[in-house]
Amino acid sequence: MPNESYLMSRVWRHDVVQRDARFRYVGSRGQMLLLSLSILFSLSVCSMGWAEENPIDVNADHLDFDQTSRMVSATGKVRIDQPGMLNLQADQASYAMDKRELQAKGNIRLVHQEDVFTADHIRLDIGRYQGTLKKATADLRGPGGRITSEQVVFHSQDLFTLHDATYTNCDCEPNAKPAWALTADTIDMDRVENSLTATNVHLRMGDVPVFWVPWWQHPFMPKRKSGLLLPVIQAGGGNGIELDLPYYWNIAPERDATVTLHPTSRRGVLTKLQYRYLGDNYKGQLDTQNLYDTLEDRHRGLTLLEHQHRLAAWDLDMRLAASQTRDFLNDFQQKKLVDSRERRLESRLTADRLWLRKSGYTNVQGGTIWYQNLDAVNDLYTVQRLPYLSFTDDRPLKGLQRISGVGGMNVGTFQLHSDLKLDSFYQSSGDAAQRLDLAPEIQYWRGLPIGRLSGALGVRETGYMIQGDPNQTGSSQEPTATRESASMRLRLDLDLARTYGNGAYKHTLEPALQVAMVSSTRQSGLPNFDATLRHFSVSNLYDGTLYSGADRVSASQWLAYGVTSRLFGRQDGGVRNLATFTIGQRWAPEGSREYQGEQAFSSVVSGLEWYPGQHWSITMAGRYDPYQNELKSSESELRYSDARTLVSIGYHRNKPETTGPFVPEGSTEPLEDLSLQAKVPFREHWLLKQQSDYSLETNGIKSWRTGLVYEQDCWSFELSGGQDLSSRTSEHSGHFIGFFFTLRGLGGYGVSS
């Protein structure tokens, strides 16, 4: 049998719409009656489509409907829902159908577009969404903030004004005093424009007013919006007092700009412009800074343009960088653009395309590279690379594989790897050279039951056309030069493994042995634009050449051997690498030992990565000379990190070479440094941050930075000081001290000197 209360509500509703009289239904506690005002609207105001699109449901302990005044009254646990528009809870409510006016009082909770309001009284025109809230508080959606107000006036669904209001982003208890708040006579909040505009604004820390402005505006949601950004002030150094006054312009969803005035007390006014843009297949950014330096009586500036473009399967990359004066980066820090220690600004224009195949690829790249040498008075002898063209192709040699595999034998895989490079090197002095480098190589792999056999056989032909003296040797240079070289590598890798603890751990031993031979004609008469002898380490233990670049090859032969051991363990449902250790060495016959200090055996190189715990890691790399019984170089780091803590202690040692083809000038004493990086919480809300580099050879601090940070949910404060490394500057010592204060939702303010 149907539920009795259900039958009563059906009859009650029917009577309401059929008879012109006052009706009242009282439900007992726990027994509620649902009244659908959309039915009433459709019968009494049938010409209004609004009622059908925005139905209102009223749920309460007691409901009254007066047909004469067309007034609905509700008391006791009132809930009024308009899907997609509002949800209202109150002790009492009434709705005038002709005026579409809703009034409620007592423990009001209004949810509108995910904003939550509480108030003592509300009057609201449902049709136009206009009305007022008395004695209101609001918790705005997302990071919008918390507000208290004597009166909230709704002008539309997306625009409302708060009178005698307090605004904060602190997530504190309703009756608790926030750490900071903005108080204002009025606050206009516009969701369409994403703006918070206030008048007669005081910033209070607790009960203490610390800042006042007659007018204030900023986005109250984390979305882009045009307007003034917070200023930043700093003092000290060679510029005196400096001030950043930025304005952000939200031009379009895919374009924006920031214009900044940067007045200084000693050098005049620096103007900054940053323009960013984004398209379907391109993006870019322009930064330019200019001033007339009143201290040095000259124009100075920096311009940086970066653009990446995808055009018909080609990747275009452009970077233009130029400084009007060599020491601009020292006088005006550009940490977000260019490191102040950078001594060469690189400009480039390149095009790159990659064709991928099932087994192999083809890559073509070309362009120009230009350098501005900030250490040189002029760039007469700076080597520029323009233009250049590079072609790389990698494809299987299936024909050779079929010939070798006659009789159904699995002989392995043959691959042809070819490099072709055409470079033009130029110096403003007029010296120039063109280089053509061709290097095809046949590569081979074959799997073994417990490892792999691989090898490579290649040739390299390099030719030069030379104008002037690119190496600046002061001697005449032949107009042409060539070099031929051939190389061969054969490598054997073994993979031995064993499991422990019922498969919980796996330990591997991976010995490797490689024979490499490189023969070459004389190279002493060749220019050198890009070749550098690399430091011997685990990373290049099995490389076929000891040089980077194409202007030099390591014409010798050697045997490289080593072993890698790994430990894997199951953790958190997966397999994790717990430790990796590699050690190796080279042996060279007589006549091929110039890269090993004329010794038969090279230094011993080793590397370790160890993860003893979820948050711990130890990394080490070293190069040991067995003849001098000396550690030539060492890199090590002990690191602990979790959600709030980071501690890293590092050691670096490097002993300059005293024998070999490239011996550096200057001291031969080892360079030894200790480094420390730490972020350690020591009390609730408190953090200690430390960065330092200590030189063991001079027993002195090279650079350091110490910061004391206090963090709350809605604000933070950092006091820091230290000394930055700088390059060739006498006017700036690199010392600084300052503070930075951040309010969540408002931004930050800092002073340093």
Side-chain angles (χ1 to χ4, degrees), residues 422-495:
L422 177 62
D423 291 285
S424 296
F425 299 103
Y426 170 78
Q427 295 166 293
S428 297
S429 61
D431 302 303
Q434 288 75 47
R435 181 182 70 189
L436 177 63
D437 186 70
L438 176 62
E441 184 178 69
I442 297 177
Q443 301 172 347
Y444 169 75
W445 297 271
R446 181 184 178 184
L448 301 175
I450 57 171
R452 187 178 75 160
L453 181 66
S454 61
L457 183 65
V459 295
R460 180 180 292 272
E461 181 75 26
T462 309
Y464 297 83
M465 295 183 62
I466 303 171
Q467 176 183 341
D469 184 13
N471 284 345
Q472 303 302 313
T473 61
S475 59
S476 61
Q477 186 84 48
E478 294 294 331
T480 61
T482 60
R483 179 201 55 204
E484 298 81 28
S485 63
S487 62
M488 185 276 292
R489 301 191 309 275
L490 186 63
R491 177 171 172 175
L492 175 65
D493 289 270
L494 300 180
D495 190 353

Side-chain angles (χ1 to χ4, degrees), residues 523-537:
Q523 307 177 80
S524 59
L526 303 182
N528 186 2
F529 298 107
D530 60 5
T532 302
L533 184 63
R534 292 180 291 178
H535 291 291
F536 183 39
S537 66

Side-chain angles (χ1 to χ4, degrees), residues 134-425:
K134 299 290 188 179
K135 300 289 185 182
T137 66
D139 190 351
L140 304 181
R141 69 188 183 197
R146 298 171 62 89
I147 291 175
T148 61
S149 175
E150 288 296 311
Q151 178 175 270
V152 179
V153 179
F154 289 97
H155 307 289
S156 67
Q157 295 185 38
D158 298 305
L159 179 63
F160 51 95
T161 300
L162 304 102
H163 297 272
D164 294 329
T166 300
Y167 170 85
T168 184
N169 255 321
C170 294
D171 294 328
C172 51
E173 295 297 326
N175 296 325
K177 186 173 293 296
W180 69 266
L182 291 178
T183 62
D185 290 348
T186 61
I187 299 179
D188 293 320
M189 308 195 77
D190 190 333
R191 286 204 175 277
V192 176
E193 298 295 331
N194 187 32
S195 67
L196 181 155
T197 306
T199 60
N200 192 25
V201 182
H202 292 81
L203 172 62
R204 295 179 178 272
M205 303 300 297
D207 291 325
V208 180
V210 296
F211 186 71
W212 173 85
V213 289
W215 178 86
W216 180 277
Q217 184 181 64
H218 82 283
F220 68 93
M221 294 293 289
K223 299 178 182 178
R224 293 166 40 181
K225 176 178 172 57
S226 299
L228 293 171
L229 304 180
L230 285 179
V232 176
I233 186 173
Q234 65 181 25
N239 302 332
I241 299 175
E242 301 180 69
L243 181 65
D244 257 348
L245 301 171
Y247 177 83
Y248 176 76
W249 182 18
N250 184 21
I251 303 172
E254 69 282 356
R255 291 176 291 143
D256 65 11
T258 303
V259 181
T260 305
L261 291 180
H262 184 93
T264 68
S265 61
R266 295 191 62 194
R267 297 184 181 272
V269 179
L270 177 70
T271 59
K272 304 179 185 179
L273 169 65
Q274 181 183 84
Y275 173 69
R276 302 185 299 179
Y277 55 91
L278 177 68
D280 292 336
N281 55 356
Y282 64 88
K283 64 178 181 178
Q285 177 173 317
L286 169 67
D287 290 273
T288 180
Q289 304 180 13
N290 294 274
L291 89 157
Y292 181 80
D293 193 328
T294 56
L295 183 65
E296 300 185 10
D297 194 21
R298 57 174 175 164
H299 290 279
R300 306 178 66 188
L302 172 72
T303 299
L304 180 65
L305 171 63
E306 294 181 299
H307 179 89
Q308 290 83 41
H309 205 124
R310 180 77 171 179
L311 183 63
W314 286 85
D315 290 318
L316 307 180
D317 182 23
M318 179 175 67
R319 185 181 193 270
L320 303 177
S323 177
Q324 289 182 323
T325 57
R326 293 181 296 112
D327 50 2
F328 184 85
L329 299 183
N330 287 330
D331 290 338
F332 298 94
Q333 297 293 320
Q334 309 293 329
K335 294 182 179 180
K336 294 183 179 180
L337 298 178
V338 183
D339 192 328
S340 61
R341 292 169 289 176
E342 182 65 56
R343 307 323 302 159
R344 293 203 307 175
L345 294 181
E346 177 185 303
S347 298
R348 63 177 177 271
L349 177 61
T350 63
D352 185 286
R353 180 166 182 178
L354 178 66
W355 291 267
L356 290 173
R357 297 185 294 272
K358 184 177 180 180
S359 181
Y361 65 93
T362 299
N363 177 247
V364 175
Q365 185 184 100
T368 64
I369 300 178
W370 184 275
Y371 297 99
Q372 181 183 2
N373 189 345
L374 301 180
D375 276 340
V377 177
N378 55 59
D379 285 347
L380 287 178
Y381 304 112
T382 300
V383 176
Q384 316 296 351
R385 190 182 180 194
L386 70 163
Y388 74 93
L389 177 66
S390 172
F391 173 85
T392 302
D393 184 78
D394 191 271
R395 62 184 62 233
L397 291 174
K398 297 181 179 179
L400 181 59
Q401 193 167 322
R402 285 195 297 266
I403 294 174
S404 303
V406 173
M409 298 174 55
N410 180 14
V411 297
T413 301
F414 290 90
Q415 199 91 355
L416 176 62
H417 183 89
S418 304
D419 286 322
L420 173 64
K421 295 180 181 179
L422 177 62
D423 291 285
S424 296
F425 299 103

Side-chain angles (χ1 to χ4, degrees), residues 583-601:
I583 188 170
Q585 191 180 33
R586 288 196 312 250
W587 173 85
E590 191 172 352
S592 298
R593 300 173 178 173
E594 62 174 324
Y595 302 100
Q596 300 174 183
E598 301 301 331
Q599 303 289 347
F601 293 92

